[in-house]
Amino acid sequence: MTDTLVETARGAPAAAPDTRRSGGRTRSARRWRRAVTPVALLVLWQAAAQTGLLPPEKLPAPIAVAQTGWRLARDGTLGVHLLDSLTRAGIGLAIGGILALVLGATAGLLRLGDDLVDPPVQMARMLPHLGLVPLLIIWVGIGESLKISLVALGAFFPIYFNTYAGIRDIDERLVEAARTCGLGQLARIRHVVLPGALPSLFLGLRLALGAAWLSLVVGEQVNAQTGIGFLMMEAREFSQTDVVLLGLLVYALLGLLSDLAIRFLEGRTLTWRRGLQAV
Amino acid sequence: MATRTTGGLSTATRPVVTARNVRRSFGAAVVLDGVDLAIVPGEVVALLGGSGSGKSTLLRILAGLDPEATGEITRAGSQAVVFQEHRLLPWKRVAGNVSLGVPGPGVRQRVAAALAEVGLAERDRAWPAELSGGQAQRVAFARALVREPALMLLDEPFGALDALTRLKMQTLFGRLHAEHGFAALLVTHDVDEALLLADRTLVLDSGRIVEDAEVPLPRPRAVDHPGFGPLRRHLLDRLGVRPDQDGAAGT
Ligand SMILES: Nc1ncnc2c1ncn2[C@@H]1O[C@H](COP(=O)(O)OP(=O)(O)O)[C@@H](O)[C@H]1O
Ligand SMILES: [Mg+2]
C-alpha cells in the first residue's frame, strides 16, 4: 500500500494518463499555470502573517504550520495519532465495504435478494448517517465502536449502490453470448458479471473512501483519546491553531492520497477501457 | 419445453437439429405459431422473414436460450451462435474471447488456428475495442469455429456491416463452410445473401414457415447467374416486396 501511494504521488497523476501521449507540452504548461494561483495565495498568506496582518492565534503562517508538522512528526506524536486514525478508517471500511459488497451482490444477482434486501437499504439511505451520532452513542457508547460504526455506515451506501447498479447494468446480451459459449452460472459471474461490474465497484470504493474520511472527522470529535481528530480538539483547547491547521492538512492529504491510490489501481485493473477511450 | 440432446456423431442424414411445433408468444402477441424444421449435417439453411417476424426468437429457441417457448427441440451434436452484434467481452483480449468456455488441452493452439482461419492471427492480444466492426465479427466467427460445432446458428451476422465488408464476410463464410462442413441456420433479411450462401431457404411469416425450398443454383454462385433473378423475385414476392413497383431492391 505504501509503495502504491508513493509511486502515484511521484509519477504523473492517474487523472491525466494521456498527458504524454498527445499535446504533452501544452498540457504540462497548463498544469504549471494552474499552480500559479495556489502558490501566490500561499505566499500572500505567509507575507500577511509575517507582517502581523494575520494574528497567529487566528491563522498562523504556513511555514509555522510546516514547522509544527515537522516537530510532531519527528517526536512521533503525529505517527501515533495517524496510525490510530488509519486503523479506524481501515476497520470501518472493511466492515462496511464487505457488508455492502455481499448485500449489493445478493440484491443485484438474485431476484429474491433484490426483493428482500433492497427496500430496507433504499429507506435507510434517506437517513443522513452523520445525523445518527446521538443514536449511535446510545447504542455503542462513545468509544472506538462509535468511530468505526460511523465509518462503516458511511462506506456502506456508496459501495452497496454501485455494486448493485454495476451488476444490473451489465449487458444482458453479453451474458447470453457467454451462455452460448457453454459457461455455467458461476463461470458467467466470474467472466462476465464481475469484470463488467468492476468499473462501478471502483467508483463505489472511491465514493466510500470520501465518506469514510468525513465520518472519521466527525467521529473523532466525540471523546477521542487518540487520532488526528483528537489532536485537533486538544490543540483547540490550548489555542494551538497551527496544530489544528496541521490536522486539517493531514485529513486533506489522506483523502487525496487514497483517491490517487484507487485511481492508480483502477488504471492498472481496467486496462481494457483504455482501448475504449481511444476509439 | 421438451429438449433432447443425442450425443455422438450423427450419420449423414440424421438432422443436427429438429424443431417440432414450436410456439412462443409475448403476452397476447403470438410470434411463433407452430414452427417445424429440421437441418441435416452440413446443410446451410437461410431463414428469411420481414422485420419482427420472429426470426431471432426462433434462433434463440433453437440455441436453448428461451425457456418459455413450447414445442420439442432435438439436438444432435454441438452448437455455436454468432449474433448480429459481435458480443465480445470488452474486458477480454481477442484470444481470451475466442477461448471462452473451451475445455480440454491444446486450447491455445486451437484458438490460434481459429483466428488464423478468419485472418486475424496477429490480433490475438488486441482488445475488442481496438477492432473494426468487420474484424470484431470475424473474431465472433472464430469464437464459434473453435468449438467445432455441428450446427452454427447465425442471427444476421453480416447485418451490421458495411456493404463491402459484408461481401467479404460472405465469401469468408463460404470458405469456412467448405472447409469445416458445419450445418448452419443463417437468419437474414437479405434475399441475395440467402441465395448466394444457402442450400435451402425458409420463409417465416405470421408465425409459421410458409415456404421451404431448395436453391437450385450451381456453386460457386453469383448474382448474375441467369437462374438468380427469378428466384430472387419469387422470394421478394413471398416477403411482400415488389421490387418493380417501389424500386427498392432488397429489404
Ligand atoms: N423479449 C421480448 N419481449 C416482448 N416482445 C418481444 C421480445 N422479443 C421479441 N419480441 C417481439 O417478437 C416479435 C419478433 O421479434 P424478433 O424475433 O426479434 O423478430 P426478427 O428477428 O424477425 O426481426 C417482435 O414483434 C418483437 O417485438
Ligand atoms: Mg432479429
Side-chain angles (χ1 to χ4, degrees):
Chain A
M1 197 58 178
T2 343
D3 280 353
T4 321
L5 289 175
V6 171
E7 222 174 300
T8 326
R10 235 197 287 116
D18 45 353
T19 315
R20 281 150 296 167
R21 222 188 296 156
S22 64
R25 188 169 287 183
T26 49
R27 283 286 193 89
S28 72
R30 266 200 74 196
R31 189 124 53 96
W32 285 116
R33 212 168 62 204
R34 289 175 67 82
V36 167
T37 330
V39 169
L41 282 174
L42 269 179
V43 169
L44 220 68
W45 175 8
Q46 178 72 29
Q50 263 173 352
T51 54
L53 212 62
L54 286 174
E57 69 274 11
K58 296 282 182 204
L59 200 63
I63 289 184
V65 175
Q67 278 165 346
T68 306
W70 180 237
R71 179 170 53 79
L72 292 182
R74 287 252 322 251
D75 70 12
T77 319
L78 193 60
V80 169
H81 291 292
L82 185 61
L83 189 67
D84 278 342
S85 287
L86 281 175
T87 309
R88 285 171 189 148
I91 296 176
L93 256 177
I95 294 175
I98 290 172
L99 206 62
L101 212 57
V102 170
L103 290 180
T106 309
L109 290 171
L110 307 171
R111 187 166 303 170
L112 184 67
D114 190 15
D115 291 346
L116 294 184
V117 172
D118 202 48
V121 176
Q122 293 286 350
M123 284 188 250
R125 176 168 77 141
M126 295 304 153
L127 299 170
H129 79 277
L130 293 177
L132 292 178
V133 169
L135 193 60
L136 280 176
I137 290 178
I138 294 174
W139 284 353
V140 301
I142 52 177
E144 281 308 284
S145 343
L146 173 70
K147 287 105 193 152
I148 291 173
S149 309
L150 268 184
V151 173
L153 267 175
F156 176 84
F157 290 98
I159 296 188
Y160 173 87
F161 287 113
N162 282 286
T163 306
Y164 181 83
I167 291 174
R168 282 305 162 105
D169 286 351
I170 285 171
D171 192 343
E172 194 53 42
R173 296 173 307 171
L174 293 182
V175 181
E176 199 176 80
R179 254 177 84 184
T180 67
C181 289
L183 265 57
Q185 186 102 46
L186 277 181
R188 289 204 295 276
I189 290 178
R190 173 162 162 236
H191 292 288
V192 186
V193 177
L194 193 63
L198 210 52
S200 189
L201 285 181
F202 270 115
L203 177 64
L205 189 56
R206 280 175 65 190
L207 295 173
L209 274 168
W213 296 128
L214 190 66
S215 312
L216 196 68
V217 171
V218 173
E220 288 192 335
Q221 292 183 12
V222 183
N223 187 53
Q225 302 304 318
T226 57
I228 299 298
F230 162 76
L231 206 62
M232 290 167 72
M233 296 305 279
E234 195 193 40
R236 183 193 52 106
E237 273 176 44
F238 300 108
S239 292
Q240 296 169 323
T241 320
D242 49 347
V243 178
V244 175
L245 283 184
L246 179 71
L248 274 178
L249 189 69
V250 171
Y251 276 138
L253 280 177
L254 283 177
L256 182 72
L257 290 181
S258 56
D259 201 59
L260 282 178
I262 298 294
R263 286 213 226 175
F264 175 78
L265 263 180
E266 204 175 340
R268 277 288 175 90
T269 318
L270 304 179
T271 22
W272 57 272
R273 293 187 114 201
R274 252 184 250 147
L276 275 185
Q277 282 156 5
V279 170
Chain B
M1 160 153 45
T3 296
R4 242 170 334 121
T5 308
T6 20
L9 288 174
S10 52
T11 57
T13 46
R14 185 147 111 242
V16 287
V17 70
T18 314
R20 211 166 299 132
N21 197 22
V22 171
R23 288 170 194 276
R24 178 69 160 105
S25 43
F26 296 101
V30 178
V31 175
L32 298 178
D33 191 16
V35 168
D36 299 294
L37 67 79
I39 300 173
V40 297
E43 184 185 30
V44 180
V45 177
L47 178 62
L48 288 154
S51 181
S53 58
K55 306 184 295 292
S56 297
T57 303
L58 179 56
L59 182 129
R60 293 185 70 250
I61 292 170
L62 294 178
L65 292 172
D66 189 346
E68 285 175 52
T70 60
E72 192 183 325
I73 309 284
T74 312
R75 302 182 182 87
S78 57
Q79 296 182 341
V81 187
V82 178
F83 299 93
Q84 178 166 6
E85 332 83 56
H86 54 73
R87 299 201 187 183
L88 300 176
L89 300 177
W91 43 83
K92 284 193 185 290
R93 293 180 194 272
V94 162
N97 265 289
V98 175
S99 68
L100 194 68
V102 178
V107 172
R108 199 192 278 249
Q109 287 89 324
R110 284 165 62 196
V111 167
L115 280 173
E117 286 206 75
V118 299
L120 288 174
E122 265 81 66
R123 302 308 305 274
D124 59 335
R125 299 272 305 153
W127 297 107
E130 296 168 342
L131 304 175
S132 70
Q135 287 174 332
Q137 198 62 341
R138 278 192 275 160
V139 174
F141 264 96
R143 180 172 67 181
L145 211 55
V146 81
R147 281 146 236 279
E148 294 167 11
L151 172 66
M152 268 218 209
L153 297 163
L154 307 133
D155 192 355
E156 305 197 31
F158 316 124
L161 304 174
D162 64 87
L164 204 62
T165 311
R166 189 180 318 152
L167 289 177
K168 287 183 184 162
M169 290 291 286
Q170 288 167 354
T171 312
L172 174 70
F173 174 81
R175 199 188 76 217
L176 292 177
H177 176 256
E179 278 166 21
H180 295 270
F182 46 77
L185 180 72
L186 174 67
V187 168
T188 178
H189 57 242
D190 182 343
V191 170
D192 287 0
E193 183 172 287
L195 290 175
L196 280 174
L197 298 177
D199 302 307
R200 191 150 64 90
T201 54
L202 307 175
V203 175
L204 188 61
D205 189 19
S206 312
R208 290 168 178 275
I209 306 279
V210 293
E211 170 149 327
D212 179 348
E214 302 280 328
V215 180
L217 295 173
R219 288 180 191 270
R221 295 194 182 145
V223 284
D224 46 15
H225 186 277
F228 204 91
L231 285 170
R232 183 170 183 274
R233 252 191 310 283
H234 171 74
L235 278 176
L236 285 174
D237 198 41
R238 266 310 205 174
L239 293 165
V241 183
R242 307 278 142 103
D244 42 335
Q245 267 172 23
D246 48 27
T251 47

